[in-house]
């Protein structure tokens, strides 16, 4: 009975409410009016628990889940809000690795239907309000809230966090956030609040850092750059991270992707800041922190980022979907061991696909092009034409993602690598089929 009712509710929120993954920019609300109305209706649940706000272009999902996992090792009850989901809508709203129950989703939609019908919020706005309501209901100690898109006008941006984190800035969603990195940084800097500590993951340029520093100054907030305060190096089987007051060694085997080290540095500096600023009443505990990193998947269920699902052949799912993501992906591949490389690639048409395809890895045995089952997906025939324009002739086009995956398994031998990338939605479809 619950499953049937939940399916009805899921259909309602998927089909009735504007959804970014389905219709793109038209689902993005350029103000915070609806989310404020929703939360007022609910009694402003976002004010009933502590939050950490995590934004940025790339790495914010990993940073959110690493941080949440470590906080769990300190025996805190940790809420996690992230997006998009890979398989099930309820992945977006978790306490630890436990998704929000179906009963809560049903009850939430039923009690908010009057205001949903009145103001017609977006799918994302409903999801954020549901997360806040659930975390308040469950009385979490703290919640790690990942920004959906941008920052300044993102629906998550009605919280007053104890810490704001911005991982990095690169080109993505330019049609909504701006054409230059400084314009994008301005939107991301919108999560910096009054008298709140701010950590920027990467120092990228004087112009970009100035955007963050000016926003922090205007708000009377302290600001630090993790990349300027954390040094790391390889030592045999360990990565060693040196902070101003602490150091920690972490095993190499759990961090194969290139971008991970930057995210780890950001998380470590965030933990140190939380403790030194007495935002958390704990000490810098190497055992808790190391266990939080090692067990992040078990603790939080975070998936789809350099995720190995098979060994022979090696199959990795990686949600790289913009320029910076692809550049990091290439660095990660340069450190991987394989005989032949097969890439299953699919993307959405509102990205700068031409630019992304131009920088894709060239030393690939074969590309298998495909498309996800969403309206925003780039048709596989258009994708193939674009690949040919950039000199990729070693391609096969298979529209169905399941058949594309089967084809890759058929072509690859046990010492080869199959990489699925280009879109979070592609990774989600492959995971759901498995």
């Amino acid at each position: 009975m619950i499953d049937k009712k939940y399916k009805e509710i899921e259909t309602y929120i998927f089909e009735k409410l504007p959804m970014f993954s389905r219709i793109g920019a038209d689902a993005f609300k350029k103000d915070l009016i609806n989310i404020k109305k929703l939360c007022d209706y609910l009694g402003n649940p976002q004010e009933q628990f502590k939050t950490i706000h995590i934004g940025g272009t790339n790495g914010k999902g990993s940073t959110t889940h690493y941080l949440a996992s470590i906080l769990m090792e300190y025996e805190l009850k940790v809420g996690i809000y992230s997006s998009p989901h890979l398989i099930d809508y309820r992945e977006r709203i978790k306490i630890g690795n436990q998704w929000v129950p179906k009963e809560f989703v049903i009850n939430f939609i039923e009690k908010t239907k009057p205001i949903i019908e009145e103001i017609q919020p977006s799918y994302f706005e409903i999801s954020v309000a549901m997360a806040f309501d659930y975390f308040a209901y469950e009385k979490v100690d703290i919640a790690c809230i990942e920004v959906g898109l941008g920052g300044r006008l993102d629906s998550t941006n009605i919280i007053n966090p104890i810490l704001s984190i911005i991982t990095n800035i690169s080109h993505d969603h330019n049609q909504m956030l701006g054409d230059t990195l400084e314009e994008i940084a301005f939107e991301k800097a919108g999560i910096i609040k009054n008298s709140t500590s701010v950590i920027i993951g990467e120092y990228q340029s004087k112009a970009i850092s100035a955007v963050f520093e000016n926003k922090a100054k205007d708000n009377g907030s302290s600001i630090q750059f993790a990349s300027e305060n954390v040094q790391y190096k390889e030592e045999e089987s360990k990565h060693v991270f040196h902070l101003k007051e602490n150091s920690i060694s972490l095993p190499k085997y759990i961090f194969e992707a290139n971008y991970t080290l930057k995210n780890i540095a950001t998380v470590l500096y965030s933990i140190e800041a939380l403790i030194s600023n007495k935002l958390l009443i704990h000490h810098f505990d190497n055992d808790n922190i190391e266990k939080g990193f090692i067990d992040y998947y078990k603790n939080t269920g975070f998936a789809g980022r350099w995720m190995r699902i098979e060994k022979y052949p090696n199959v990795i799912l990686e949600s790289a979907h913009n320029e910076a993501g692809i550049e990091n992906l290439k660095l990660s591949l340069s450190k991987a061991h394989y005989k032949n490389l097969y890439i299953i690639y699919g993307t959405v048409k509102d990205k700068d696909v031409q630019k992304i395809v131009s920088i894709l890895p060239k030393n690939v045995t074969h590309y298998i092009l495909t498309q996800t089952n969403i309206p925003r997906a780039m048709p596989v025939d258009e994708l193939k034409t674009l690949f040919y324009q950039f000199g990729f002739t070693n391609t096969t086009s298979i529209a169905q993602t399941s058949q594309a995956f089967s084809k890759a398994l058929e072509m690859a031998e046990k010492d080869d690598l199959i990489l699925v990338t280009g879109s979070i939605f592609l990774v989600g479809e492959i995971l759901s089929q498995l």
Side-chain angles (χ1 to χ4, degrees):
M1 183 65 182
I2 286 289
D3 288 343
K4 182 180 178 183
K5 183 65 178 175
Y6 174 74
K7 194 64 182 175
E8 292 172 0
I9 290 293
E10 191 179 45
T11 300
Y12 174 81
I13 58 179
F14 281 0
E15 295 183 357
K16 182 176 177 60
L17 307 176
M19 184 179 177
F20 184 78
S21 64
R22 188 174 66 241
I23 64 175
D26 288 342
F28 180 58
K29 301 295 183 70
K30 296 184 178 180
D31 58 59
L32 300 176
I33 294 172
N34 278 351
I35 188 63
K36 288 179 178 178
K37 286 182 177 179
L38 279 167
C39 287
D40 281 343
Y41 184 87
L42 294 164
N44 288 306
Q46 76 280 6
E47 298 173 0
Q48 298 173 34
F49 51 91
K50 293 178 181 177
T51 57
I52 298 171
H53 209 182
I54 303 99
T57 304
N58 291 304
K60 60 183 183 288
S62 302
T63 300
T64 297
H65 287 79
Y66 288 153
L67 186 57
S69 180
I70 292 168
L71 295 174
M72 289 170 65
E73 294 298 333
Y74 279 103
E75 298 187 350
L76 295 173
K77 187 175 185 179
V78 184
I80 304 170
Y81 178 75
S82 62
S83 61
H85 62 273
L86 293 174
I87 299 173
D88 190 298
Y89 170 76
R90 296 180 297 134
E91 290 172 46
R92 293 170 178 250
I93 304 167
K94 299 177 288 192
I95 295 177
N97 63 5
Q98 298 299 304
W99 302 347
V100 58
K102 291 179 179 179
E103 293 89 341
F104 189 91
V105 177
I106 293 167
N107 293 336
F108 178 86
I109 296 298
E110 288 182 340
K111 77 178 180 181
T112 55
K113 256 193 180 179
I115 192 167
I116 291 173
E117 298 294 337
E118 176 188 340
I119 67 174
Q120 295 292 300
S122 71
Y123 172 95
F124 189 77
E125 288 166 332
I126 283 289
S127 302
V128 171
M130 187 188 301
F132 293 159
D133 198 45
Y134 182 57
F135 297 153
Y137 173 77
E138 286 289 337
K139 296 182 172 60
V140 299
D141 296 311
I142 194 164
C144 295
I145 307 294
E146 180 192 344
V147 172
L149 196 156
R152 183 174 66 94
L153 300 176
D154 187 77
S155 296
T156 63
N157 202 30
I158 62 168
I159 58 176
N160 288 300
I162 62 172
L163 178 68
S164 298
I165 301 169
I166 300 173
T167 57
N168 54 48
I169 301 299
S170 60
H171 287 287
D172 201 10
H173 304 297
N174 290 40
Q175 70 273 36
M176 289 167 281
L177 303 181
D179 294 324
T180 69
L181 291 180
E182 289 78 14
E183 288 173 328
I184 296 169
F186 174 80
E187 294 298 328
K188 305 286 184 182
I191 70 170
I192 297 174
K193 300 296 195 332
N194 290 333
S195 303
T196 301
S197 295
V198 182
I199 291 176
I200 310 298
E202 298 177 44
Y203 180 94
Q204 295 177 258
S205 73
K206 188 173 181 180
I208 291 173
S209 64
V211 174
F212 296 135
E213 289 165 345
N214 291 337
K215 180 68 174 177
K217 183 178 179 181
D218 291 344
N219 284 274
S221 300
S222 64
I223 184 169
Q224 298 287 333
F225 290 80
S227 59
E228 302 296 292
N229 291 281
V230 183
Q231 284 74 47
Y232 52 87
K233 60 181 180 178
E234 295 185 16
E235 290 185 4
E236 297 181 358
S237 61
K238 298 275 189 179
H239 287 295
V240 183
F241 295 81
H242 295 286
L243 293 82
K244 280 187 175 179
E245 298 181 13
N246 303 286
S247 64
I248 186 169
S249 297
L250 298 170
K252 276 186 184 178
Y253 72 87
I254 56 172
F255 307 120
E256 296 180 275
N258 177 71
Y259 61 81
T260 307
L261 296 176
K262 295 177 182 179
N263 296 336
I264 292 168
T266 301
V267 170
L268 287 172
Y269 196 62
S270 299
I271 292 292
E272 190 173 69
L274 287 168
I275 294 167
S276 62
N277 293 331
K278 295 183 171 54
L279 299 172
L280 290 178
I281 309 173
H282 292 285
H283 63 283
F284 194 90
D285 187 307
N286 286 40
D287 289 340
N288 282 346
I289 292 168
E290 180 174 349
K291 196 167 187 302
F293 280 119
I294 291 172
D295 291 342
Y296 79 94
Y297 179 73
K298 183 179 77 173
N299 286 348
T300 69
F302 185 56
R305 276 72 170 181
W306 202 261
M307 180 182 183
R308 177 176 283 106
I309 58 171
E310 294 286 347
K311 284 188 176 181
Y312 304 106
N314 194 0
V315 179
I316 291 176
L317 309 183
E318 167 54 54
S319 301
H321 57 277
N322 54 34
E323 293 173 43
I326 296 298
E327 293 293 358
N328 276 321
L329 170 65
K330 287 159 71 174
L331 286 171
S332 299
L333 283 171
S334 70
K335 298 178 181 180
H337 300 286
Y338 54 85
K339 183 179 178 182
N340 296 298
L341 173 60
Y342 297 87
I343 294 183
I344 303 173
Y345 186 85
T347 187
V348 291
K349 56 192 174 187
D350 52 7
K351 299 282 184 187
D352 187 352
V353 182
Q354 184 164 330
K355 175 63 176 176
I356 293 169
V357 171
S358 74
I359 62 172
L360 283 172
K362 300 296 190 290
N363 58 334
V364 177
T365 307
H366 207 83
Y367 275 97
I368 301 172
L369 309 179
T370 190
Q371 68 186 75
T372 54
N373 189 29
I374 60 169
R376 285 173 61 216
M378 171 165 272
V380 70
D381 291 341
E382 291 181 27
L383 195 56
K384 185 169 186 176
T385 299
L386 193 56
F387 265 65
Y388 269 104
Q389 288 176 9
F390 284 96
F392 293 99
T393 55
N394 53 336
T395 64
T396 299
S397 302
I398 303 175
Q400 293 289 332
T401 57
S402 59
Q403 293 176 17
F405 188 66
S406 296
K407 181 65 175 176
L409 289 174
E410 176 188 313
M411 296 173 75
E413 298 179 354
K414 68 175 185 176
D415 295 329
D416 295 339
L417 170 61
I418 297 172
L419 177 70
V420 179
T421 194
S423 168
I424 293 172
F425 306 108
L426 172 59
V427 169
E429 278 195 20
I430 297 297
L431 267 180
S432 65
Q433 292 158 11
L434 296 172

